Amino acid sequence: MKVLVINSGSSSIKFQLLDMADESVLASGLVERIGEPEGLIKCELRPDTDGEEVIKIQEKVPDHEHGMRKAVELLSDKDKGVITDRADIGAVGHRVVHGGEEFHQPTLITDEVLAAILKTVPLAPLHNPANLDGIMVARELFPEAPQVAVFDTAFHQSIPPHAYHYALPYEMYEKHRVRRYGFHGTSHMFVARECARLMGKKPEELNIITVHLGNGCSMTAVKNGKSIDTTLGLTPLEGLVMGTRSGDVDPAIYAFLARNCDMDIDAIDNMLNKESGLKGLCGLNDMRDIHEAIEKGDEKAKLALDVQTYRNRKYIGAYMAALGRVDAIVFTAGIGENDDIVREKSVEGLEAFGIVIDKEVNAQRVKKPLLLSSKDSAVQIWGIPTNEELAIARQAVEIV
Ligand code: ADP
């Protein structure tokens, strides 16, 4: 079965076409800078074969609908395309960022499901409308294919009340559903299961800390295959230090800035989400640029690296306490897979807890799963590439 996976962000759409007979990638693409004066559409056709072809188009992409149509046009191109007949598409899998408390599983999209996703928009105002646009266009372009929603929050619906409640007046939860939801669920679930497979165990037999470090960063405590706590909260802002997002701050910062710095709610929200994190501390949000700056003696860049890796270490400690026993720690996503310095500093000084990294092995980039801990480490440390598109496609096939 061929499955098209659509992963819409606030200003981008990632898409991938997979042949699930052997899980090969037939095409993989990205529509970027939606709504900006000049957009960029990139598509790799047949990346797994000798006949690979890369297409790049620079043009204005006014909205997600236009971007989706353009992507499908490229995939169905008469000469080069990989879709010859749209009826060949057996399912379309959509990443939906927020599923609220309603969705615990991947779900076949019906009109009722769409209405329920629409209700979660206040919880993810940047992401869920883009996801809904993607679903609407895909329904029109592939009317015969079942559409499946895979929620970023679903894996975390197993988190128990003592971990998902904030200590706020209870009615904030009852009336407004204010609680921890967590995100990156598809990625945390994928690498936790991969880790169990690599260790030759069932997911239910293991306790794992999964560390997803990309532009967005989060950590999850996975007990016997289930998420029992995670760092992102009501929105994808809490917890670890991210590219442009602050992670944990004193919540009273809102009141302080409003009273003393002449900032309104929108300005503070924008600062915490877009001008903070690594970028806030040193002006750079890409870890590669930060290392380059550190080599040139940039003190703020060094501080940004220290703040991020100290926060990672602190949460690893917290999740060891939450889990009681830890069998493995898994690093994944752009930084987690590529950055040996961040990995090393994130577990530095934890030897007394049985966490010992092998510096030589860790010096590599993780192109495929790699055991990074030394032989005498009680806790295994893994680098495992995440593959959210494959995880979404697998779940779409299961549902169909
Ligand atoms: P997203 O959260 O947008 O999916 P990714 O998982 O692709 O992000 O991670 C992107 C980040 O990964 C970049 O901003 C950069 O900081 C980091 N990164 C990518 N490649 C490298 C590398 N070779 N070394 C260090 N960091 C890297």
Side-chain angles (χ1 to χ4, degrees), residues 14 212-216 285-288 333-335 338-339 365:
K14 276 191 204 163
H212 176 112
L213 304 174
N215 278 315
N285 61 296
D286 190 303
M287 217 15 121
R288 288 162 289 197
I335 299 174
N338 292 303
D339 198 315
R365 283 170 72 181

Side-chain angles (χ1 to χ4, degrees), residues 52-115:
E52 180 183 2
E53 179 137 7
V54 182
I55 300 175
K56 272 191 193 177
I57 302 171
Q58 267 174 302
E59 65 176 39
K60 186 170 166 67
V61 182
D63 52 30
H64 282 76
E65 182 182 336
H66 183 98
M68 270 286 295
R69 287 185 196 282
K70 201 75 206 173
V72 174
E73 217 174 88
L74 281 180
L75 294 173
S76 338
D77 184 84
K78 236 183 6 279
D79 304 322
K80 303 173 193 162
V82 284
I83 301 179
T84 39
D85 182 354
R86 286 196 193 159
D88 283 351
I89 303 299
V92 183
H94 296 269
R95 173 184 179 221
V96 178
V97 167
H98 217 308
E101 287 190 314
E102 196 115 342
F103 297 104
H104 297 224
Q105 321 264 3
T107 305
L108 192 67
I109 298 171
T110 60
D111 289 341
E112 292 76 51
V113 169
L114 271 181

Side-chain angles (χ1 to χ4, degrees), residues 71 73 86 127 137 166-167 172 174 234 265 281 338 362 392:
E73 217 174 88
R86 286 196 193 159
H127 290 94
V137 180
Y166 294 119
M172 288 297 151
E174 273 182 321
L234 173 73
I265 294 281
L281 285 165
N338 292 303
N362 182 54
I392 291 170

